[in-house]
Amino acid sequence: MRVATRIALSLFFFIVTSGRIFMGKAQNKTFIPVNVGVILDLDTWKGRMGWSCINMALSDFYASNSHYKTRLVLDTRDSKNDVVEAAVAALYLIKNTEVQAIIGPQNSIQANFVIDLGEKAHVPIISFSATSSSLTSHKSEYFFRVAQNDSAQVKAISAIVKAFGWKQAVPIYIDNEYGEGIIPFLIDALQDVDARVPYRSVIAPLATDDEISEELYKLMTMQTRVFIVHMSQNLNSRLFTKAKEIGMMSEGYVWIVTSGIANSLSSIEPSVLDSMQGVLGVKTYIPKTKELENFAIRWKRTFQQENPNITNVDLNVFGLWAYDAASALAIAVEKVGGENFVFEQPNASNNLIDLETIGVSKSGPKLREALLGVRFRGLSGAFSLLNRQIKSSTFQITNVIDDIERVVAFWTPENGLRRELMNSANKNVYSTSMNNLRHITWPGDVDIVPKGWEIPTSGKKLRIGVPVKDGFSEFVQVTHDHSTNTTQVRGYSIAVFDAVMESLPYAIRYEFIPFAKPDGESAGTYNDLVYQVYQGNFDAAVGDMTIIENRSRYVDFTLPYTESGVSMVVPLQYSGRKNAWVFLKPLSWDLWITSACFFVFIGFVVWFLEHRVNEDFRGLPSHQVGTSLWYSFSTMVFAQREIVISNCARFVVIIWVFVVLILTQSYTASLASLLTVQQLQPTVTDVNQLIKNGEKVGYQEGSFVLGILKEMNFKDFQLKQYNSTDECHELLSKGSANGGIAAAFDEVPYMKLFLGKYCSKYTMVSSVYKTDGFGFVFPMGSPLVADISRQILNVTEGEIMKEIERAWLEENTNCPDPNTPSSSPSLSIASFWGLFLIAGVASLLALIFSISMFLYKERQQLFIPSDPEDDSIWRRILHMFRMFDKKDLTSHTFRKKTMSFGDIESSTHGIHGNDVSTRIKCSPSPSNSTELIETQSGSLKFHDLGMSSGEYSDSSTNVDQTSQLAIPPVPNELIKYQNQD
C-alpha cells in the first residue's frame, strides 16, 4: 500500500510538471528546455514543502520573465529517505536524463555521494537543506549550498552559555554525519567562553525508545544540567517525549536546540511541542517583507489544495531557501544561454560499469560560474553564493512557551546578544550579557535561571580527601579513636571548608577521608593527594594545600583562603654597637639640606624686614650676617635675644616658629625610635649570603619548599627538615654551627603561626617565592569551584573567619606584625613640603609688601634725579640701595630715641639774629621729625623732614624750614649717633 502511494505521488508530480512544461512549449515554440533534476524525500514534510516551493518559484519566475529563452524542465526523484536511493536517483538523472543541475538531495548524509557524482559529471548540485558542516570538507567546485552552515550557529549557542555563566554543557546528537559535523565547532566555541564538554551523548538514528530512555537516565546521574540537542526532527520528537516522561523537563534543567530543530518547530505535533516547554532554540532570522507575507499566503492555499489531508501547515526557512535556489538556477541558466546543454559521452566499452559511463556536461563550468555571480533579493533575504554557500549569520534566540515561540534575543557576529536587532552601521561592543535577553520561562515553568549543574541523583556523599601529618596540626588534625573505631578531622582548614559549605544556597553531603595507610601513617605527599583527585579516587581535597602551577595542570583550585608566599624566618640579635652619627638618620639628606636652606632664607627675610627699623640688625656687615643667622637658628630652642619690630617680620617669624616646632618634634620622635627599636636586628637579611657562607636552612617535611630551595642553589647538606613549630625553634636556637639552622623557609601561614608563639626571638625578613596561598582542590572543570570560591570571599570578609582564626590560630597580641620593618625609616621632604611651602609663600608675601611700601614712601627721592647730568640706571640703583641702607627715621623706634635727647636750650650768647633772645625746643611731634646736621662752620642745622614752618616757631619768632643757629658745640656722641648709617 505504501509503495502504491509513492508511485501515485510520483506520477502526479510528473504529470503536473510535464503539463506545465508542455503548456509553456505550446505558448512559445522558441523556448529552450533545460533538464534539471530534483531529489527529495517526498514522504517527509520538508520534502513536500521544498518540492512545492520549487514549482511555485519557477512559475513566478517565468511569469515575470516571459521573455527569457530558457525554461527549466524538472525531473523529480523520490530518495525515500535512503542514502542508496538518493545515489541511484542522482546517477539515473545524470546518465539517462542528462540533467544540467540537481536540486537536492534533502539531507547531509545523502549529499555525500551525490556531490561526488556532480563533481565527476560537472553537474552543479544545489542543496537547500543539507546543512552539515562536514560537507564543506569535500571542496567540490560543483556543490552549492543555499542553506546556513551548521557551524554558523555555534557562536550564538556559546554566547547563551556564557550569558548565564554555565561552565559545562553536554551535546546530545544523532550518530551520523549530520550530527557529528557540528561537534568540533561547538566544542571550540564553548571552550572560548570557558565552558567544557564533560560528556557527549550520541543516539543512533534508529534507536528505540528504551535506548533513548537509558541514555537520558545516564545523563540524570551526572552533574551537568545543560544539554544542547542537534538531531533530526523525528528523533528530536521522541527524545523530548521521553525526557518529559522521566522528569528531565523539570526545574533545574536547560535545553538548547540547534537551528535544524528550531527552524521546524512550527511543523512539530502539538503533543511533542507540549513536552518542549521552556526549551531555548537558535533559529535562523528571516527579515519580514511584504513579498514574503504574500508568498506565505499563496503557498499555504496552494499546498492545501495539493495536499488536502494535511491541515496544519506553516512555511519555514527551508521552503524559502528552496524557492530562492530554484530562482537562482533559472537566472544562471538564462545567463549561459541555450548553447552546449549536452553531455560528452565517454568511449563505449563492454567492460564499463555504470559509473564509468557517466558523461560530462559541456555547460557545467559556465553554469558554475553563472551561479557564483547570481545576485538578487530573495524571499530569505539578500542572495549571493559566497564560497558556494549563502552568507547568513543572524539568529533569533527563541523560547518555547505553550504552543508558541517567543523571541527573547537576537544574535549577530558584530553585536552578540541584543534584545533588538541593531543596524549594521551601529556596531557596538560584542555583548554576552544576560541583561540583553528578555524574560525566559525555563523548564518546569519557573523564572529562576538554572545554575546548570546539580549533585548527582545517586545521593552519594562527596569523598573529601584530607592529609595526615604530624606537625602544624592547627591546620589539619586527624585523630582516630580505637575504642569507637571513628576518625575525627579538625583544624583551621577544615573549619573554613565547613563554614563555606554551610553558606552555599544548596545542601551538599560530604565526608572527610584521611589520606592514610591502614596503619594510620600518611599515604604520601600533598602532590600525591592532589593526584588522587585527578584520578577520581577523591571528589575533592581539603587541607593546607598551596595553589601552585604544576598542581593546577591536573586539578582546579578554589580561591585562596589564606595569605600567600614563602618567607624566611631568622633569629633576632641585640645590636650593641653605637653609631656616632645616628643623630643624622632621623632626617633624610634632602630634608637636612632643605631645612638648612630655609634657615638661611628666613634669616635673610627677617634682616630685610628689620634692617631699617631695628638697631639689633644694623652695624657692620659681618655683624648683620651673624645676627640674622643667629636669630633664624635660635628659633629651634626659642632663645632669641633680639626683638623683631615690624609687623611683617613678626608674621614671618610666627609661621616659621610653627614649622620649626613640628620639625623638631618629628626629629625627636624619629630619633627616639631609632635608638630603641634598632637594638634588635635580624641575624641574616640576604638569602644569597646564606648560600655563599654554606649555612644550613630548614624546611617543613613534605613541603614543596624543598624544590624551591634546590632551585635557589642550596646544597643537600645545607637542608634540614622539621615537623613542628617546636622542632623549628629548637633548630634555630642551636644555629647552623651547632647542628641547627640559620634560617627557616616556609609558607606565610606557617611562619605567622610560628612567630605567634616565638615572636620575641625571631622575625620574618623577606619573601623568597610567590604563591597563591591555601585553596581547596576539585577535579578539573568541577562546577563546585565557582560557587565555593564566591562563598570563600563571603566567609573571609565576615566575622566567621575572625572566630575561626581566634579558635585555631591564636597569636600573641603583644607580638608585632612580622611585616613591620625592624627600623624606622628616615623622614623625607615628602612629609614636610607643605609646611615649607607655607613658610616660603608667607616670607615672599612679606618681602613683596615691604619692598612695595619702601618704594612708595621714597618715590620722590628714588625717581627724581638729584643730578640731572648724571642720571644713569646704575646710579639710580646705587641711590636706591643707599636709601634702603639708611634708617627709617619715620619709624616709631627712632622717634622715641630722638625724644630721649631732652630739650636743647639756646643760650643768650649763642643765638644771633635781630638781637632777640629766643629759646628753641627740639621735641618733634609724633607725626614729624627733624634731622640735626653739623654745618661747615661748626654750628648745628635742623633740617625739616616734611614739617610745616610753623611747627618750629614760637609766638614771637618765625623760623624757616632750614635755620642756621649759633649754639654751643654739640657733643661728638650725639653727632655720631645722628649721622650713623
Side-chain angles (χ1 to χ4, degrees):
M1 183 66 182
R2 187 174 182 182
V3 175
T5 303
R6 288 181 177 177
I7 295 174
L9 284 172
S10 300
L11 182 61
F12 172 75
F13 293 146
F14 177 76
I15 292 172
V16 172
T17 304
S18 300
R20 291 178 178 176
I21 300 302
F22 288 143
M23 288 178 65
K25 288 183 178 181
Q27 294 174 358
N28 192 339
K29 302 295 184 180
T30 61
F31 290 159
I32 300 173
V34 179
N35 294 328
V36 174
V38 179
I39 303 176
L40 297 173
D41 298 333
L42 297 177
D43 281 346
T44 64
W45 158 252
K46 187 184 295 184
R48 293 181 183 181
M49 178 182 60
W51 187 89
S52 176
C53 289
I54 291 171
N55 278 282
M56 290 187 67
L58 295 180
S59 177
D60 294 344
F61 182 80
Y62 289 122
S64 59
N65 298 281
S66 58
H67 60 283
Y68 278 15
K69 297 179 180 180
T70 58
R71 291 294 185 272
L72 300 186
V73 180
L74 301 181
D75 190 346
T76 306
R77 297 288 166 173
D78 185 7
S79 56
K80 302 176 183 179
N81 200 22
D82 185 77
V83 177
V84 176
E85 289 288 346
V88 171
L91 183 61
Y92 177 84
L93 291 171
I94 294 174
K95 183 179 179 180
N96 298 331
T97 309
E98 294 185 351
V99 293
Q100 301 301 316
I102 294 177
I103 299 178
Q106 185 170 314
N107 58 58
S108 302
I109 305 174
Q110 299 169 352
N112 263 328
F113 186 70
V114 176
I115 292 172
D116 292 335
L117 287 177
E119 180 75 16
K120 182 177 179 61
H122 292 181
V123 173
I125 308 299
I126 306 171
S127 177
F128 62 87
S129 57
T131 59
S132 176
S133 303
S134 62
L135 296 178
T136 57
S137 62
H138 284 272
K139 303 297 182 183
S140 173
E141 295 183 356
Y142 289 89
F143 174 59
F144 296 87
R145 176 156 49 191
V146 187
Q148 227 170 20
N149 192 332
D150 284 338
S151 61
Q153 64 184 312
V154 295
K155 293 291 185 181
I157 297 174
S158 65
I160 298 173
V161 173
K162 184 176 182 180
F164 295 103
W166 300 318
K167 294 302 181 183
Q168 291 184 356
V170 172
I172 306 175
Y173 59 95
I174 188 172
D175 189 13
N176 58 24
E177 190 165 358
Y178 168 71
E180 295 172 351
I182 195 177
I183 296 303
F185 301 94
L186 179 61
I187 293 177
D188 290 343
L190 292 174
Q191 289 178 346
D192 290 340
V193 296
D194 296 328
R196 57 187 292 268
V197 177
Y199 177 74
R200 303 182 190 182
S201 178
V202 185
I203 298 179
L206 301 178
T208 63
D209 290 347
D210 291 338
E211 291 173 339
I212 295 175
S213 298
E214 182 181 355
E215 182 65 21
L216 291 176
Y217 277 118
K218 184 178 181 180
L219 294 175
M220 288 182 67
T221 62
M222 300 179 182
Q223 289 183 336
T224 308
R225 290 294 181 265
V226 180
F227 304 112
I228 302 171
V229 182
H230 180 68
M231 55 183 56
S232 64
Q233 182 175 337
N234 179 45
L235 190 59
N236 169 78
S237 300
R238 297 167 57 202
L239 174 76
F240 278 101
T241 301
K242 287 297 178 183
K244 184 177 182 181
E245 289 179 2
I246 66 177
M248 293 185 69
M249 297 304 299
S250 58
E251 182 180 353
Y253 286 88
V254 178
W255 294 88
I256 303 173
V257 296
T258 58
S259 59
I261 302 172
N263 289 335
S264 303
L265 285 177
S266 59
S267 61
I268 294 180
E269 296 179 2
S271 60
V272 177
L273 196 63
D274 182 64
S275 65
M276 297 178 65
Q277 297 300 302
V279 172
L280 293 179
V282 179
K283 185 177 182 179
T284 303
Y285 171 71
I286 301 297
K288 293 183 179 180
T289 60
K290 191 65 176 178
E291 292 78 6
L292 177 58
E293 293 179 2
N294 294 335
F295 174 77
I297 296 172
R298 290 193 299 112
W299 174 86
K300 188 171 185 178
R301 183 172 57 249
T302 302
F303 187 82
Q304 287 183 342
Q305 290 174 357
E306 296 174 352
N307 303 273
N309 296 329
I310 304 177
T311 57
N312 185 20
V313 294
D314 197 2
L315 185 66
N316 61 34
V317 67
F318 294 107
L320 303 181
W321 284 334
Y323 186 96
D324 290 345
S327 301
L329 181 59
I331 295 173
V333 168
E334 183 67 22
K335 286 184 178 181
V336 174
E339 301 177 358
N340 298 325
F341 281 120
V342 294
F343 270 68
E344 182 180 354
Q345 299 297 333
N347 295 328
S349 173
N350 294 331
N351 297 326
L352 294 178
I353 60 176
D354 285 345
L355 291 177
E356 293 177 292
T357 60
I358 294 178
V360 176
S361 174
K362 291 184 178 182
S363 61
K366 291 184 178 181
L367 185 57
R368 179 196 64 195
E369 295 299 326
L371 281 169
L372 291 175
V374 171
R375 302 285 190 278
F376 67 95
R377 186 73 184 180
L379 294 179
S380 61
F383 184 94
S384 63
L385 294 173
L386 181 64
N387 294 327
R388 298 182 300 279
Q389 61 184 4
I390 62 171
K391 178 69 173 178
S392 177
S393 55
T394 302
F395 292 93
Q396 293 174 313
I397 311 302
T398 61
N399 184 208
V400 178
I401 303 175
D402 296 330
D403 57 346
I404 61 173
E405 304 171 67
R406 190 164 60 89
V407 177
V408 296
F410 293 89
W411 181 90
T412 59
E414 298 82 11
N415 299 318
L417 295 173
R418 300 288 178 179
R419 290 196 177 191
E420 300 294 339
L421 190 61
M422 308 180 71
N423 296 329
S424 58
N426 186 15
K427 292 183 179 180
N428 295 337
V429 179
Y430 185 89
S431 173
T432 56
S433 173
M434 183 175 60
N435 297 328
N436 288 333
L437 283 81
R438 295 187 179 91
H439 176 266
I440 297 176
T441 300
W442 301 96
D445 196 21
V446 296
D447 299 331
I448 301 174
V449 178
K451 61 178 179 290
W453 65 274
E454 295 289 347
I455 298 300
T457 56
S458 60
K460 182 183 67 174
K461 292 182 180 180
L462 294 181
R463 293 168 50 86
I464 310 296
V466 293
V468 176
K469 54 190 303 184
D470 296 331
F472 294 95
S473 58
E474 292 84 356
F475 291 96
V476 178
Q477 185 181 58
V478 179
T479 56
H480 184 74
D481 189 350
H482 295 281
S483 60
T484 59
N485 196 25
T486 58
T487 301
Q488 186 179 20
V489 181
R490 304 170 66 244
Y492 173 78
S493 299
I494 305 301
V496 173
F497 183 77
D498 289 336
V500 169
M501 299 303 284
E502 289 177 3
S503 63
L504 288 173
Y506 45 85
I508 296 180
R509 301 176 62 207
Y510 60 91
E511 60 179 341
F512 294 113
I513 301 177
F515 183 53
K517 299 177 182 177
D519 58 358
E521 295 294 327
S522 175
T525 63
Y526 281 23
N527 288 339
D528 297 330
L529 176 56
V530 170
Y531 193 69
Q532 292 295 315
V533 177
Y534 168 73
Q535 288 185 322
N537 296 327
F538 290 116
D539 296 318
V542 173
D544 48 345
M545 284 169 288
T546 306
I547 305 171
I548 53 179
E549 187 272 336
N550 63 338
R551 294 174 180 172
S552 63
R553 299 176 187 174
Y554 304 97
V555 295
D556 279 347
F557 283 93
T558 62
L559 289 178
Y561 59 91
T562 62
E563 294 184 65
S564 62
V566 175
S567 295
M568 178 177 70
V569 169
V570 297
L572 288 170
Q573 64 178 0
Y574 177 77
S575 178
R577 295 174 298 173
K578 298 297 182 180
N579 190 347
W581 302 99
V582 69
F583 67 91
L584 295 175
K585 290 185 178 180
L587 305 184
S588 61
W589 283 110
D590 59 346
L591 186 55
W592 278 116
I593 295 173
T594 303
S595 301
C597 292
F598 259 84
F599 274 113
V600 175
F601 174 68
I602 296 299
F604 166 76
V605 172
V606 173
W607 171 85
F608 187 92
L609 299 175
E610 293 289 313
H611 174 65
R612 302 186 73 240
V613 299
N614 194 336
E615 286 287 352
D616 292 336
F617 291 89
R618 300 188 63 82
L620 297 175
S622 59
H623 175 74
Q624 297 182 47
V625 172
T627 301
S628 301
L629 294 179
W630 154 258
Y631 185 85
S632 176
F633 282 94
S634 64
T635 55
M636 289 189 295
V637 294
F638 310 105
Q640 304 95 336
R641 178 176 58 85
E642 297 77 12
I643 299 176
V644 293
I645 296 174
S646 67
N647 290 331
C648 289
R650 291 170 178 173
F651 171 70
V652 172
V653 170
I654 288 174
I655 295 179
W656 178 242
V657 168
F658 176 71
V659 173
V660 171
L661 174 64
I662 295 178
L663 193 63
T664 54
Q665 293 296 326
S666 301
Y667 172 85
T668 304
S670 181
L671 181 61
S673 176
L674 285 171
L675 295 176
T676 55
V677 178
Q678 202 176 25
Q679 293 178 358
L680 293 176
Q681 293 290 340
T683 56
V684 181
T685 58
D686 188 7
V687 177
N688 295 323
Q689 193 66 30
L690 293 172
I691 301 173
K692 181 179 179 181
N693 297 338
E695 301 283 355
K696 295 181 176 61
V697 297
Y699 65 94
Q700 188 180 167
E701 182 181 6
S703 174
F704 69 96
V705 176
L706 173 61
I708 297 175
L709 295 177
K710 289 185 176 180
E711 290 179 1
M712 297 170 63
N713 296 323
F714 278 100
K715 306 301 181 183
D716 290 339
F717 72 89
Q718 294 180 262
L719 303 176
K720 284 181 173 291
Q721 64 181 17
Y722 56 85
N723 293 323
S724 63
T725 56
D726 293 336
E727 188 175 352
C728 180
H729 166 61
E730 182 181 354
L731 291 174
L732 287 170
S733 300
K734 291 181 179 179
S736 179
N738 300 320
I741 57 177
F745 292 85
D746 215 331
E747 296 171 79
V748 172
Y750 297 121
M751 292 292 92
K752 290 190 117 182
L753 184 65
F754 175 75
L755 292 176
K757 194 172 183 180
Y758 303 102
C759 61
S760 60
K761 298 180 180 180
Y762 307 101
T763 183
M764 191 185 307
V765 294
S766 65
S767 178
V768 298
Y769 191 78
K770 180 66 177 176
T771 62
D772 284 335
F774 295 163
F776 303 132
V777 181
F778 286 89
M780 188 74 73
S782 173
L784 284 170
V785 173
D787 288 350
I788 291 180
S789 295
R790 278 189 289 268
Q791 295 307 317
I792 286 176
L793 295 176
N794 292 334
V795 171
T796 54
E797 294 173 359
E799 294 295 328
I800 299 178
M801 196 66 173
K802 296 179 181 179
E803 295 177 2
I804 295 175
E805 289 178 350
R806 283 194 293 266
W808 292 99
L809 306 178
E810 295 179 354
E811 297 183 5
N812 191 341
T813 55
N814 296 324
C815 293
D817 188 348
N819 294 322
T820 303
S822 58
S823 61
S824 301
S826 299
L827 300 174
S828 65
I829 188 65
S831 303
F832 299 94
W833 69 267
L835 289 173
F836 287 118
L837 178 64
I838 295 173
V841 171
S843 301
L844 290 176
L845 291 176
L847 284 175
I848 294 173
F849 178 78
S850 178
I851 293 173
S852 301
M853 294 300 298
F854 168 73
L855 295 176
Y856 177 78
K857 290 176 62 176
E858 305 294 342
R859 61 186 182 279
Q860 292 183 352
Q861 297 295 328
L862 292 175
F863 300 109
I864 298 177
S866 59
D867 187 1
E869 296 180 357
D870 188 9
D871 188 24
S872 62
I873 297 177
W874 178 245
R875 288 188 62 82
R876 284 177 175 271
I877 294 174
L878 291 178
H879 181 62
M880 180 181 65
F881 277 110
R882 290 195 201 98
M883 292 293 296
F884 176 77
D885 192 45
K886 292 180 180 181
K887 296 178 181 179
D888 185 6
L889 296 179
T890 63
S891 172
H892 65 282
T893 56
F894 292 119
R895 289 201 302 270
K896 291 178 179 179
K897 288 181 179 290
T898 304
M899 293 175 62
S900 65
F901 291 152
D903 297 335
I904 302 177
E905 298 182 356
S906 60
S907 61
T908 56
H909 64 273
I911 299 178
H912 301 277
N914 299 326
D915 295 329
V916 179
S917 297
T918 307
R919 176 181 294 175
I920 300 177
K921 188 174 182 179
C922 298
S923 54
S925 64
S927 60
N928 301 284
S929 62
T930 60
E931 184 176 2
L932 188 63
I933 302 174
E934 184 180 7
T935 62
Q936 294 179 354
S937 59
S939 60
L940 292 178
K941 177 181 180 180
F942 286 97
H943 182 68
D944 184 11
L945 298 178
M947 298 174 291
S948 62
S949 59
E951 292 178 356
Y952 289 95
S953 62
D954 54 18
S955 60
S956 61
T957 306
N958 293 328
V959 183
D960 297 333
Q961 293 182 5
T962 304
S963 302
Q964 184 76 25
L965 303 175
I967 60 177
V970 180
N972 293 332
E973 291 78 7
L974 178 59
I975 297 176
K976 287 183 180 180
Y977 178 79
Q978 290 293 96
N979 292 335
Q980 185 180 11
D981 293 335

